[in-house]
Amino acid sequence: MFRTALRNVLAHKARLLMTVLAVMLGVAFVSGTLVFTDTLSNAFRSQSAKSYDDVAVAVDMYPNPEEARKAPGLSRQDVDEVAKLDGVVSVTPRVDGFAGVPDKNGKLIGSGWSNKGTNFAPGKDGKDRAYTFTAGAGPAEAGQIALDKDTADKGGYKVGDTVRVATNGPVKEYTLSGVFTTEDGAVNAGGSLVVFDTAVAQKLYLKPGYFRSMTVTATPGADDAKLVDEVLKVVPKAATAQTGQALADQQAKDIEAGMGALNQVLLGFAGIALFVGVFLISNTFTMLVAQRTKELALMRAVGASRKQITRSVLAEAGLVGLVASAVGYVLGIGLAVGLRSAMSAFDLKVPAGDLVLEATPAVAAFGVGVLITMLAAWLPGRRAAKIPPVAAMSSVHATQSTKSLVVRNSIGAVLTALGVVLIVLGAGTGGDDGRMYIAGGAFLTLIGVIVLIPMLSRPVIALIRPLFVGVFGVSGKLAGLNAVRNPRRTGATASALAIGLTLVTGLSVLGATVGSAIDKATTDQIKADYMVSMASGTGLSQEALTALEKTPGVTAVSPQQAGAFDLKGQFASVSGVTPGAIEKVLKLDVVNGSLSSLGGNTIAVDDKTAAKRGLKVGSTVPVEFMDKQKGKLTVGAVYEANTFVSPVLADTALVTAHEEQAEIRQIFVSTDGGASTAHQQALAKAMGDNPAIEIMDHKEIRDTFGGPINMLLNIVYGLLGMALIIAVLGVVNTLAMSVFERQQEIGMLRAIGLDRRRVKRMVRLEAVVISVFGAVVGIGLGSFLGWAIGETFKSSLPGYVLVLPWDRIGLFVVLAALVGVLASLWPARSAAKLNMLSAIKAE
């Protein structure tokens, strides 16, 4: 029987090609993901270990506000005390924060969050071990800086050039003293690193004479754990210390966790691709078994048992899976190399390291590939074993009994109904719990629809068919009839496309709905012409606010200054704003009272906070500020919740009086006559042409908030493209085998006058009908899931209204039809080239 299985595989190489491709693509995704994440993890672990190779102890100090009044960080005396300890060779103190460098066009190099500034800390030899200089040297005075090589190259800077550097304060000019390479994480993340003289860095980021951290190098053989105890005795209580090895191990764990999350996402898409491939494999073996009914029945007649027949089919599947897994594993290695190279396109640097080929990806590739293929072929093999020997005497294939169809449809209906109930329940529940219900319901509904899809094919295709008959005549009519001739086969082929389009449509509906809400929030809630903020995500200075207020053409300015206090026994987030200006830059719908009362000890609260805490206009509430002072505030207005401000509004003077340092997150600016190039240039000039300060108009605000959603959608579309490619292979396979089965019928149609052109058209239209049917099912289910998921967070997104992206949905239908046309090219050509007389004689 094994020899028979081997001969069958070799005899049907062309028919099994699509199955091999489907399994190969899924396996390549799985093995490529595992090899890629293993390689990346190893590279980052090696880099982390290298960074702390000669670090015995690492000390950090991030005191709370009360402790910071006494000591904001590690003092020079603390550093000197550690340096005196037995076994200590050297101490390298650091202080760091945000620093951005513009290119020649004034645009910030790198992303704001990954642009970093720090101090140059040379040892006795005049070198700082963290940096290897390729040109010049480290900064030796206040007016000098050094840059990492990539930033210098991107900006076109050379030693001796004047470089403008943006920090949280005004932009300043420095002379470039040197260019270096480094293993610093900020640079490896695609950012920039500016190295200042120590005194300058301390003044910029902390306080003269203080550092944020330090690393300790010890004599060879020293006990690092014991040294940690000694260090903790001489540094402030707010400081923490750990061995360099512990720090490297922790970073390795963090890297593993980060890679694990990426791993899970990519493997999730690989799982979807393999799940879609199951339908193609099962369909292929179902058709192969149906075509070999007489052969299998004859084998039964000469003594083969049912188990042997099933094993024969499974052996064929195993051989196919083995070949596909081997090719897929090699392709996966290539995919991992490609992904690693592609990261450079996003300015993400991967540390140098060898490609890691561990046993797990290989075992997973072959295990998943062979197991999935055999699992998908088991049911067709079981059906093959049931063929009675008497079937060898005729060409009649075994047909499904009415009972089996009733059982199948009943199971599908129950699963679908249960899934829909869970989805609706989740939509009503909302939050994380609701999304859990929806996830379970989506799984059950998807399985239920897949089980029911053969039954659904007849009514759905019956609705589509008149369109094809009216436009394409006889070819359209035959295509529609052929598509429903074998509902099980049509359903299995359409299922692959339906799964992919369910996910794509659901995400599109969700993305369009959230994007619309963001657009609405921007349009409806912001009256200001511009929003000013730091690219780094840090706060703006008070000087920036003052400069904007004095800019010609500006009519109203209000900051959104972060603050907090204990309001009526509960923590409350507060926005410090400018009374009299806030209502001119933001649209705040007042429910009760008036925003004109805002100022002094009078605050405004949003309607949700008022309802939750029992507040109303005129209420006097006790508060405790962050500096532990207590007082009483009066509610002067209640307004509808707004995306761009906190639940409580207060005068900036009140917030600043109780905060150690004002943190202005955004500043909203209205100008005379509205937004214009001249106004934007004037605002930029007022900010000292600071490349780290973003001045955004309405369109740029929408892009900032909606950009990540669109980027995520594009990534998901690309990853789900794998599933759609497999779906195309499924359509090709189905049509090719369908043409093979209907050789005699096609010959008869040719004989009675259907020319080759119309035969091609018939096969193509059949593919289009099947593809559009799968698209209709997938789009319908995806839209339902998109609505349900959206309902779970509508309460946290003001202005939420369900949006169906009809343009994208229409595009999906067109693409599905195009998939059918492309998939039918080879089968249609094969059908048209059949010899009429030979086809009529075919069995």
Side-chain angles (χ1 to χ4, degrees), residues 538-605:
T538 54
L540 290 155
S541 65
Q542 186 65 40
E543 289 79 5
L545 177 62
T546 304
L548 289 171
E549 289 173 338
K550 295 179 180 179
T551 304
V554 169
T555 57
V557 177
S558 177
Q560 200 280 98
Q561 181 176 329
F565 47 62
D566 188 289
L567 178 69
K568 208 175 180 180
Q570 291 181 302
F571 175 84
S573 178
V574 181
S575 286
V577 299
T578 302
I582 185 62
E583 58 265 43
K584 295 178 183 178
V585 296
L586 291 180
K587 184 180 179 182
L588 297 170
D589 295 321
V590 178
V591 178
N592 286 307
S594 173
L595 290 175
S596 61
S597 63
L598 193 63
N601 289 329
T602 302
I603 60 173
V605 297

Side-chain angles (χ1 to χ4, degrees), residues 170-186:
V171 177
K172 293 184 178 180
E173 293 186 345
Y174 298 86
T175 300
L176 185 62
S177 66
V179 177
F180 58 84
T181 58
T182 180
E183 295 295 328
D184 190 278

Side-chain angles (χ1 to χ4, degrees), residues 570-771:
Q570 291 181 302
F571 175 84
S573 178
V574 181
S575 286
V577 299
T578 302
I582 185 62
E583 58 265 43
K584 295 178 183 178
V585 296
L586 291 180
K587 184 180 179 182
L588 297 170
D589 295 321
V590 178
V591 178
N592 286 307
S594 173
L595 290 175
S596 61
S597 63
L598 193 63
N601 289 329
T602 302
I603 60 173
V605 297
D606 70 19
D607 49 357
K608 294 179 181 178
T609 302
K612 186 178 179 181
R613 304 192 186 185
L615 301 176
K616 60 183 180 179
V617 173
S619 296
T620 300
V621 289
V623 296
E624 183 176 340
F625 299 99
M626 291 297 101
D627 58 1
K628 302 303 180 181
Q629 292 188 29
K630 296 182 180 181
K632 290 186 178 182
L633 301 177
T634 302
V635 177
V638 176
Y639 60 94
E640 289 185 10
N642 186 292
T643 307
F644 295 94
V645 291
S646 299
V648 179
L649 298 182
D651 190 339
T652 52
L654 178 66
V655 175
T656 304
H658 299 282
E659 295 286 341
E660 183 71 22
Q661 192 171 10
E663 183 186 352
I664 301 175
R665 293 175 180 171
Q666 296 101 18
I667 300 175
F668 296 97
V669 182
S670 290
T671 55
D672 185 17
S676 68
T677 303
H679 283 317
Q680 193 156 10
Q681 289 175 346
L683 294 177
K685 185 177 180 181
M687 294 294 96
D689 291 319
N690 189 329
I693 294 180
E694 296 179 328
I695 301 171
M696 295 180 283
D697 59 19
H698 277 241
K699 182 181 180 302
E700 290 167 330
I701 295 170
R702 286 197 299 270
D703 291 343
T704 298
F705 287 97
I709 296 171
N710 294 328
M711 183 182 293
L712 177 63
L713 282 176
N714 291 333
I715 292 171
V716 171
Y717 288 160
L719 292 171
L720 288 176
M722 177 77 72
L724 296 179
I725 290 171
I726 294 174
V728 172
L729 297 176
V731 178
V732 173
N733 223 20
T734 297
L735 289 177
M737 293 196 172
S738 180
V739 168
F740 179 82
E741 286 179 354
R742 288 158 32 206
Q743 288 185 71
Q744 192 175 65
E745 176 188 317
I746 292 170
M748 290 295 294
L749 289 170
R750 290 287 315 283
I752 62 175
L754 197 68
D755 58 22
R756 289 186 175 183
R757 182 172 56 85
R758 285 191 286 181
V759 168
K760 282 184 180 179
R761 184 183 296 166
M762 176 186 72
V763 176
R764 286 173 185 162
L765 290 176
E766 183 180 345
V768 171
V769 168
I770 293 172
S771 298

Side-chain angles (χ1 to χ4, degrees), residues 1 296-309 385 389:
M1 293 302 291
L296 294 171
L298 184 60
M299 291 174 67
R300 288 290 314 280
V302 298
S305 67
R306 288 188 173 187
K307 287 184 178 180
Q308 285 179 310
I309 296 293

